[in-house]
């Protein structure tokens, strides 16, 4: 996007000048976001070179979720943790790849950051899209002194910023500070993120449904019936819908943000509590989609109202265009999710 003089607007200019859409983003948060942007650029460039620098494949370990850890998962986590340390305003962090809360030795830090360093890491070795998701919330306790680890267990409603990078043909950065959702693309010639959509809105209804249907036999009756509804022919509602699934939530939800539709990860036999993690996947993506005018629920209530009691808590999720989410809820009513 460009301003009235046809000048392209960089992230730095946007943050400095667009007070309407970044109210609450003070100097400290701006500095933190700039560090996170550097981490995103670095993860993108390391991922792009991974096949020629021997960084594809697993590192031999298994994380707390039972997933085989990829070499790039760990490198991306290091990039994010270094960025948070440089910012000096973060007291604690939660990462998908680390079992415990990470203390950042900045007892005066105002912020808590939860992040998934590489979302969709199963896509790394086949050169498909991945992403990084992050959520920033304010520390509740008084500054100074070691913060209580329990403080990371906040509801999504207290997030102050959420964002994601999508490592696709272009490096996309989307973020919200609670006054709209904004999308930037990295101009690789200049190394700057350029605003491409200010205050993006998700279509109210879409004709894409995105779900790993492999486990369909183990979905609840409500979810199975909704999938059948998506597959039935009905030109008035654009059905049958298109089925699209990348295996990286960031990529699937980015498509739905732009074109409309619904992303679902329900309870399955393999994941009886759902698969997607509350603090660093469900909450930030829910904040983002709600800011774009969409909805995100766990089948019973808004995701962002759920009080997590474990840092790696998982949840079912139904997220996307308002009309699609309302329809799936009508299928789930009085039935198990
Ligand atoms: P990772 O962050 O461990 O890569 O998990 C990705 C994810 O939670 C989400 O991004 C995908 O939509 C989902 O897993 C894919 O899971 P399936 O392979 O079970 O479909």
């Amino acid at each position: 996007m460009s301003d009235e003089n046809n000048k392209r607007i960089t992230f730095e200019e946007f943050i400095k000048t667009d007070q309407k859409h970044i109210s609450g983003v003070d100097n400290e948060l701006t500095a933190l976001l700039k560090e996170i942007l550097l981490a995103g650029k670095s993860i993108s460039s390391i991922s792009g070179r991974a096949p020629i620098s021997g960084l594809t494949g697993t590192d031999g370990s298994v994380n707390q979720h039972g997933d085989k850890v990829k070499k790039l998962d760990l490198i991306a986590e290091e990039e994010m943790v270094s960025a948070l340390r440089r910012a000096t305003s973060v007291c604690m962090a939660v990462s998908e790849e680390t079992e415990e809360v990470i203390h950042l030795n900045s007892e005066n830090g105002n912020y808590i950051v939860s992040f998934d360093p590489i979302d969709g890491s199963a896509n790394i070795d086949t050169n498909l899209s991945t992403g990084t998701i992050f959520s920033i919330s304010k520390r509740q306790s008084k500054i100074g002194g070691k913060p209580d680890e329990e403080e990371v267990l906040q509801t999504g409603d207290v997030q102050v910023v959420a964002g994601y990078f999508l490592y696709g043909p272009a490096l996309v950065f989307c973020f919200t500070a609670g006054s709209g959702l904004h999308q930037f693309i990295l101009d690789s010639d200049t190394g700057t993120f350029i605003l491409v959509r200010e205050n993006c809105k998700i279509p109210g209804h879409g004709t894409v449904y995105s779900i790993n249907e492999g486990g369909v036999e183990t979905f609840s009756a409500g979810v199975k019936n909704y999938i059948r509804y998506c597959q039935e022919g009905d030109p008035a509602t654009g059905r049958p819908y298109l089925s699209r699934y990348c295996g990286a939530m960031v990529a699937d939800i980015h498509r739905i943000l732009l074109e409309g539709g619904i992303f679902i990860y329900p309870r399955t036999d393999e994941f009886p509590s759902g698969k997607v993690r509350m603090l660093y996947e469900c909450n930030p993506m829910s904040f983002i989609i709600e800011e774009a005018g969409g909805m995100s629920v766990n089948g019973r209530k808004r995701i962002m109202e759920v009080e997590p009691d474990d840092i790696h808590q998982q949840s079912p999720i139904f997220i996307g265009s308002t009309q699609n989410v309302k329809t799936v809820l009508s299928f789930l009513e009085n039935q198990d999710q």
Side-chain angles (χ1 to χ4, degrees):
M1 255 172 95
S2 33
D3 64 12
E4 61 277 11
N5 303 319
N6 228 9
K7 185 172 163 282
R8 298 190 315 167
I9 302 166
T10 65
F11 173 79
E12 282 73 13
E13 286 159 350
F14 180 74
I15 281 281
K16 234 191 263 166
T17 55
D18 197 331
Q19 291 309 319
K20 191 167 68 189
H21 289 132
I22 49 133
S23 57
V25 180
D26 57 13
N27 289 344
E28 227 178 20
L29 256 186
T30 302
L32 172 54
L33 281 172
K34 283 184 184 166
E35 293 299 347
I36 291 176
L37 281 186
L38 287 179
K41 276 204 272 189
S42 175
I43 295 168
S44 169
S45 122
I46 296 168
S47 305
R49 294 181 50 80
I52 49 173
S53 46
L55 292 178
T56 49
T58 57
D59 95 315
S61 63
V62 172
N63 69 13
Q64 59 278 352
H65 312 285
D67 304 329
K68 285 184 184 151
V69 176
K70 302 267 181 176
K71 291 177 195 162
L72 267 183
D73 282 324
L74 298 179
I75 293 170
E77 178 179 69
E78 273 170 32
E79 290 294 330
M80 282 296 287
V81 171
S82 306
L84 304 185
R85 280 191 205 287
R86 287 194 304 268
T88 70
S89 58
V90 181
C91 57
M92 291 185 287
V94 173
S95 160
E96 185 193 6
E97 302 306 333
T98 296
E99 193 165 354
E100 309 289 341
V101 173
I102 302 168
H103 285 269
L104 289 159
N105 302 329
S106 94
E107 296 188 341
N108 291 323
N110 239 328
Y111 295 105
I112 296 169
V113 179
S114 300
F115 63 94
D116 181 356
I118 301 239
D119 174 67
S121 41
N123 286 354
I124 292 170
D125 294 352
T126 46
N127 193 30
L128 296 172
S129 293
T130 59
T132 296
I133 312 174
F134 66 92
S135 157
I136 306 177
S137 55
K138 257 203 159 135
R139 170 184 185 168
Q140 309 286 313
S141 59
K142 272 221 324 260
I143 301 276
K146 201 173 173 199
D148 183 353
E149 289 191 0
E150 290 285 307
E151 275 197 57
V152 303
L153 297 173
Q154 300 180 0
T155 61
D157 270 333
V158 306
Q159 294 171 99
V160 290
V161 174
Y164 63 77
F165 296 98
L166 169 58
Y167 309 117
L171 170 48
V172 174
F173 172 63
C174 283
F175 90 104
T176 179
S179 319
L181 176 69
H182 317 296
Q183 188 194 330
F184 298 79
I185 302 271
L186 182 74
D187 176 345
S188 50
D189 287 347
T190 59
T192 47
F193 282 92
I194 305 295
L195 182 67
V196 290
R197 273 199 188 84
E198 183 174 359
N199 207 13
C200 328
K201 292 294 171 204
I202 182 171
H205 173 254
T207 55
V208 167
Y209 73 106
S210 183
I211 182 170
N212 179 348
E213 273 178 80
V216 68
E217 283 306 312
T218 74
F219 296 169
S220 69
V223 176
K224 276 188 197 162
N225 289 337
Y226 178 70
I227 304 284
R228 270 186 224 116
Y229 165 90
C230 294
Q231 295 168 343
E232 275 163 16
D234 175 40
T237 49
R239 288 180 291 144
Y241 291 163
L242 290 172
S243 170
R244 294 284 183 269
Y245 190 75
C246 307
M249 182 187 193
V250 167
D252 285 315
I253 293 186
H254 188 70
R255 182 208 310 269
I256 283 164
L257 168 70
L258 301 186
E259 297 179 353
I262 187 163
F263 173 88
I264 300 176
Y265 210 112
R267 297 178 194 279
T268 65
D269 276 3
E270 191 183 358
F271 300 107
S273 308
K275 180 183 182 194
V276 183
R277 275 62 62 140
M278 282 294 299
L279 293 189
Y280 39 83
E281 293 178 303
C282 294
N283 276 343
M285 296 312 276
S286 300
F287 189 18
I288 284 164
I289 288 298
E290 284 197 10
E291 280 298 318
M295 279 179 76
S296 176
V297 298
N298 67 4
R300 296 206 173 100
K301 65 199 289 195
R302 274 179 72 234
I303 289 275
M304 292 208 290
E305 288 170 15
V306 176
E307 290 190 12
D309 42 41
D310 183 89
I311 65 171
H312 297 293
Q313 187 168 317
Q314 294 166 300
S315 171
I317 187 165
F318 304 83
I319 181 170
S321 297
T322 297
Q323 211 176 309
N324 300 64
V325 175
K326 283 188 175 161
T327 304
V328 77
L329 279 175
S330 71
F331 279 84
L332 303 181
E333 251 166 41
N334 305 320
Q335 300 187 49
D336 193 4
Q337 303 156 29

